[in-house]
Amino acid sequence: MGDAPVTTTGNRALMLEEPLLFEIGSTDRTGVDFETTAPAAAGLGALARGDIGLPGLTEPEAVRHYTRLSRQNYAIDLGLFPLGSCTMKHNPRLNEKLARLPGFADIHPLAPRETVQGALQLINELAVWLIRLTGMHGVAMTPKAGAHGELCGLLCIRAALEARGDARQVVLVPESAHGTNPATAAFCGYRVENIPATEAGRVDLEALKARLGPDVAAVMITNPNTCGLFEPQMREISDAVHAAGAFVYCDGANFNAIVGKVRPGDLGVDAMHINLHKTFSTPHGGGGPGSGPVVLSEALSAFAPLPYTARTADGVVHLVEEEDAERFSQEHFGGQLQSFGRMVAFHGQMGMFTRALSYILSHGADGLRQVAEDAVLNANYILRSLEDVLDAPFAKSGPCMHEAIFSDRGFAGGLSTIDVAKALIDEGFHPMTMYFPLVVHGAMLIEPTETESRANLDQFITALRSIAERARAGDESLKAAPRFAPRRRLDETLAARKPVLAWDEPAPDGAGLPTPSEVGDR
Ligand SMILES: *Cc1c(COP(=O)(O)O)cnc(C)c1O
């Protein structure tokens, strides 16, 4: 990769290199002036007090270090984030303002319940919105992400099956599912079996029906699915699953495309997680924060985890914990509630609850419907603007939902999806989701969300069109992309298999430390 622009410093224009704190700091520098204290006696017998070697920096050095690191992160606040399936949307600043109100942000999870009625009312009001928007019966608010919600949903299903003395062992998962679905089922001790997809990218209903039987506990279905398509036979699927004595788990990560338009409860869903951090904003990525409430059907609500909020006739919202669960169930729910246990230490993600309710209330029911319509419109605009230069395997099946999907069919010269993704970086765009779902060869999955304006979409389309044309022409230079990024093509497999997680002081001659170009070029 000899054609990378080289500079003396390693910086590229105003993208600055930044070594580790340990490499730039030293133990004799500090940003604060402490009074010198008298040496303390070593009070631990033979253990002597010594230096631990933490690096120090001056204040401007420390500020620059973290500011430079922050600029190495790409974010939805910098530009379009076309990841598919993950709904990366704008987080209105109003949400942040409300989440920071001291009455929500500064309360302690162990504060006496009577003193935090406002926060409990907020959680309960959000719960009511989620139930109404999904047409379901109850909701477990505590799970802390989508995958955690899947776990909660399957534990509810397992508890319901156990309550009727039914030990079913199999969970059916369509081929196109997000990896968390089979992982969750396996984690709960179920055997996972695949259901094939049809040519048109939807669940093969006949294959599903043929596999249903007395050993099947649940079917996990994503709708809209990870091919960006709505499963129109959802009601028929649910009826067949219920007739076989099993439950329907719906992966609701793509609820953004149907919020305000479709109520999963009407489709026969028994449990569905909602990624608050996707559908109802809050920036995520890099591992958090997340919140994954699970809406539940009447058959499953009684098994929801503790604690849960419930408003009694006097208008008070209770946070029902183990010690009052039995009494509460007897007094208010005819002894029906039999929680399977708990998922988290406290009540769930307060900051995200506040952001989500702020998002919901500021849009209103009609605004949420428009969110879904605009997100779907944007995805279809991308699909139709690129289908003449990129193979769109499901375009014939009609409009897509929240995301447009393309394959690498038609690329020449051994070029593949990764070359297109890396070239997008040079154009200033974060790449789309690559090679997922697995049912599409060299998949490129693009979800623009409702965040983007037509002008933004046109810029992205222009960039991707030109790259796609180069890929079809077998333009070798794509293999060298990205050319302008501070790092080129990293050995991601090596990084994942042998991560360097600790810093070792380098030998005085600098031997053993990889140079940026060794790390960055493959
Ligand atoms: C994001 C996502 C998940 C997992 O949600 P997390 O909040 O990341 O745990 C599950 N399924 C689908 C389809 C998703 O897009």
Side-chain angles (χ1 to χ4, degrees), residues 85-86 145-147 150 178 180 222 226 251 253-254 273 275 277-278:
S85 182
C86 215
E150 291 172 30
H178 193 268
T180 49
T222 310
T226 43
D251 181 329
N254 301 329
H273 72 262
N275 306 58
H277 48 291
K278 293 181 182 174

Side-chain angles (χ1 to χ4, degrees), residues 26 105 129 203-204 233 304 343 393 395 407 418 427 467 497:
S26 74
W129 267 97
V203 170
D204 186 334
Q233 295 174 308
M343 305 285 298
S407 86
I418 189 146
E427 299 289 344
I467 298 168
R497 297 272 157 83

Side-chain angles (χ1 to χ4, degrees), residues 330-489:
Q330 293 300 342
E331 284 174 16
H332 299 283
F333 291 92
Q336 293 296 304
L337 302 183
Q338 28 182 335
S339 167
F340 72 72
R342 66 191 296 134
M343 305 285 298
V344 302
F346 299 113
H347 48 269
Q349 293 278 43
M350 191 64 209
M352 304 228 11
F353 294 157
T354 316
R355 288 180 182 87
L357 187 63
S358 159
Y359 187 83
I360 289 173
L361 292 181
S362 56
H363 280 77
D366 58 332
L368 290 175
R369 190 176 318 124
Q370 196 187 336
V371 161
E373 287 168 356
D374 288 353
V376 171
L377 180 64
N378 278 358
N380 279 285
Y381 186 63
I382 288 190
L383 180 66
R384 298 306 168 194
S385 302
L386 289 165
E387 66 181 337
D388 59 327
V389 287
L390 283 172
D391 174 54
F394 306 126
K396 288 181 298 297
S397 329
C400 62
M401 295 298 291
H402 55 301
E403 56 199 5
I405 193 161
F406 302 101
S407 86
D408 63 359
R409 220 172 108 193
F411 291 0
L415 291 166
S416 170
T417 295
I418 189 146
D419 304 308
V420 170
K422 295 294 183 191
L424 264 181
I425 295 176
D426 276 339
E427 299 289 344
F429 290 104
H430 190 285
M432 68 298 264
T433 290
M434 302 182 288
Y435 302 107
F436 178 83
L438 305 177
V439 289
V440 171
H441 194 271
M444 285 169 266
L445 191 54
I446 300 173
E447 178 178 2
T449 80
E450 72 283 3
T451 299
E452 303 304 329
S453 65
R454 167 120 186 237
N456 290 349
L457 293 179
D458 283 337
Q459 264 190 353
F460 175 73
I461 289 164
T462 304
L464 189 49
R465 269 195 88 78
S466 79
I467 298 168
E469 278 162 2
R470 287 164 66 197
R472 294 178 82 82
D475 179 348
E476 274 283 301
S477 70
L478 282 181
K479 291 213 161 124
R483 295 180 60 230
F484 304 121
R487 296 289 181 279
R488 312 281 307 279
R489 295 212 185 182

Side-chain angles (χ1 to χ4, degrees), residues 19 43 65 76-77 97 121 134 157 198 218 232 239 258 302 339 345 400 495:
H65 176 71
I76 188 72
D77 288 343
K97 197 169 167 183
Q121 297 271 355
T134 55
I157 289 172
T198 62
D239 289 346
I258 56 171
S339 167
C400 62

Side-chain angles (χ1 to χ4, degrees), residues 180-231:
T180 49
N181 293 189
T184 301
F187 190 74
C188 290
Y190 288 111
R191 207 167 67 241
V192 179
E193 286 186 26
N194 269 339
I195 318 170
T198 62
E199 276 287 285
R202 292 177 165 106
V203 170
D204 186 334
L205 181 62
E206 292 318 312
L208 171 68
K209 280 185 177 165
R211 181 57 193 84
L212 286 171
D215 58 339
V216 174
V219 177
M220 295 181 90
I221 288 194
T222 310
N223 199 11
N225 70 22
T226 43
C227 295
L229 302 173
F230 192 74
E231 296 283 359

